[in-house]
Amino acid sequence: MTADTTPTTPTTPPQDATEPVRHPDAPAPGTPLGSHYVHCFGCGPQHPGGLQLDVRAGQGVDVTAEFTVKPTHQGGPGLAHGGILTTAMDETLGSLNWILHTASVTGRLETDFLRPVPVDSVLHIRAWATGVHGRKLYCAAEGRIGDPEGPVAIRATALFIQVKLEHFTTHGRPEDIKAALDDPDLFKRARAFEVNP
């Protein structure tokens, strides 16, 4: 018997991880997931310099997103900043919470940049869950330029950790927590606490 020599990282599911399962109450495929918090830099429609990602439920334990690179997202002249691209990946990966009906936060995110992403281009991102182990959710994503079949510009793998509501109410800014809890829309209130740490 030979030892498994497949390289592992902290974002690789262990061998005894279970297959992720789409929750029965997950949004239907194609459903826009909307913003979890209107001021979120990743998906908030009221954040003027934010990414304003459009994330939708996928067919399985996956989501898709679109992000238009604006001039305010530049790093090098005419190109998206690598940190902005990483944020887009993180936000999309975090949206898998809606498919699994869990609240989790980013524990680790690894990115590989494969090609530059020009300003005014659209990055099409697909994220999917790769394993569950206790409170740990393992997932991966890739971003393609121009259309869902375009050239791959960025790949990411991540480890998310399931948390309880107290994670947010203990560590968040009180006035923001109050505003989220006062929202009359229960669905939006629950979604406000899906953010990363």
Side-chain angles (χ1 to χ4, degrees):
M1 181 174 191
T2 60
D4 184 4
T5 58
T6 305
T8 62
T9 72
T11 60
T12 303
Q15 288 185 348
D16 59 343
T18 59
E19 186 79 22
V21 177
R22 183 184 182 92
H23 193 277
D25 295 328
T31 301
L33 299 181
S35 170
H36 67 79
Y37 181 52
V38 295
H39 299 291
C40 173
F41 182 80
C43 65
Q46 292 184 21
H47 196 299
L51 308 184
Q52 301 177 349
L53 251 67
D54 176 20
V55 183
R56 296 176 183 269
Q59 295 290 326
V61 188
D62 65 313
V63 296
T64 59
E66 289 185 11
F67 160 51
T68 301
V69 180
K70 300 175 187 163
T72 57
H73 302 140
Q74 287 182 85
L79 299 173
H81 188 285
I84 295 291
L85 296 175
T86 300
T87 300
M89 300 300 271
D90 186 40
E91 185 70 29
T92 305
L93 287 158
S95 296
L96 289 167
N97 286 317
W98 279 104
I99 305 304
L100 296 164
H101 269 244
T102 186
S104 63
V105 295
T106 310
R108 183 176 185 96
L109 176 64
E110 299 174 357
T111 54
D112 294 309
F113 300 95
L114 307 173
R115 66 178 60 230
V117 179
V119 168
D120 296 327
S121 63
V122 177
L123 190 67
H124 294 264
I125 304 169
R126 181 175 171 267
W128 60 94
T130 59
V132 176
H133 190 259
R135 293 177 45 223
K136 296 178 179 179
L137 167 63
Y138 297 86
C139 45
E142 65 180 15
R144 294 175 176 265
I145 300 173
D147 65 61
E149 302 303 318
V152 176
I154 184 171
R155 287 194 175 107
T157 55
L159 166 63
F160 279 72
I161 308 296
Q162 292 180 20
V163 295
K164 297 185 183 301
L165 177 63
E166 290 79 25
H167 171 85
F168 305 105
T169 57
T170 301
H171 302 290
R173 194 169 68 161
E175 59 267 31
D176 294 319
I177 293 167
K178 182 180 181 335
L181 290 173
D182 287 347
D183 190 321
D185 184 335
L186 179 62
F187 186 69
K188 282 177 69 178
R189 254 193 334 237
R191 217 164 158 214
F193 295 99
E194 168 199 81
V195 297
N196 297 324

